[in-house]
Amino acid sequence: MRYMLDTDILISLYFLNSEIVRNKLTQLIRSHNDIYIDNYCVNEFARVIFEKHLLKLDNDKNKWIINIKQIEQLIFDNFYTITCTLPGRLSFSIRDPKDEMVLKAALDNKIDYLITGDKDLLDVKQVKSLKIISLQELTMKFH
């Protein structure tokens, strides 16, 4: 199976330092599934962390920077990075235009499951063979 992570899953790893998220990703990796992340999501993750968090910290930035480095290491050691090459727009509308990039990357790279917490994406549920699931649904799948 081919799984793709959305930005909010990375943000959960960072802010929550979530053992639950980490364990689920480890299960995916160990079960010989391929895990992908779109370059757009990696860049969005870095932007969100920098703009909304690191700029506001007065102290203890090193702790958070170390956490970013650990997540980067997890990504580059275990995930395939992909890009979207599909031209044009999707055949249906979605509320947030940024989500279209994520969907197009998943479709272009023949991803089976997009794992996200984004309500707009979760409302779509499925596009062609791409299933859009939450981390909770992923947890049930591997339980």
Side-chain angles (χ1 to χ4, degrees):
M1 286 288 159
R2 296 163 63 96
Y3 292 85
M4 183 173 146
L5 306 179
D6 195 9
T7 309
D8 59 341
I9 302 299
L10 293 178
I11 290 171
S12 293
L13 272 171
Y14 176 77
F15 281 114
L16 302 176
N17 202 3
S18 174
E19 201 61 34
I20 294 169
V21 175
R22 233 171 239 154
N23 287 341
K24 288 298 132 197
L25 294 179
T26 301
Q27 278 183 301
L28 278 177
I29 292 164
R30 288 189 181 145
S31 60
H32 305 291
N33 290 294
D34 293 332
I35 304 175
Y36 296 81
I37 187 152
D38 179 38
N39 284 327
Y40 173 80
C41 291
V42 174
N43 292 334
E44 184 180 27
F45 166 73
R47 181 191 59 75
V48 166
I49 297 304
F50 183 75
E51 288 178 2
K52 296 190 177 182
H53 188 64
L54 289 180
L55 288 179
K56 295 177 183 174
L57 286 177
D58 291 330
N59 54 16
D60 212 11
K61 284 186 185 180
N62 286 338
K63 174 183 132 188
W64 295 101
I65 290 170
I66 288 168
N67 199 14
I68 289 175
K69 290 184 186 299
Q70 289 171 341
I71 293 169
E72 283 177 348
Q73 196 67 44
L74 176 72
I75 291 169
F76 293 116
D77 285 352
N78 299 291
F79 304 164
Y80 298 101
T81 53
I82 57 176
T83 56
C84 173
T85 59
L86 286 177
R89 301 198 47 103
L90 293 171
S91 59
F92 60 92
S93 63
I94 190 159
R95 192 188 65 79
D96 187 348
K98 289 182 265 176
D99 291 340
E100 188 170 319
M101 294 291 291
V102 175
L103 282 175
K104 286 171 59 175
L107 291 167
D108 190 32
N109 289 278
K110 297 176 179 42
I111 301 298
D112 298 302
Y113 291 92
L114 172 60
I115 303 165
T116 184
D118 184 303
K119 185 176 175 359
D120 293 328
L121 286 172
L122 289 168
D123 285 346
V124 174
K125 290 187 176 49
Q126 187 165 345
V127 179
K128 299 181 182 177
S129 63
L130 172 67
K131 294 169 196 72
I132 303 167
I133 63 172
S134 67
L135 190 58
Q136 182 179 7
E137 290 170 297
L138 176 68
T139 302
M140 291 186 297
K141 182 175 173 55
F142 280 95
H143 196 61

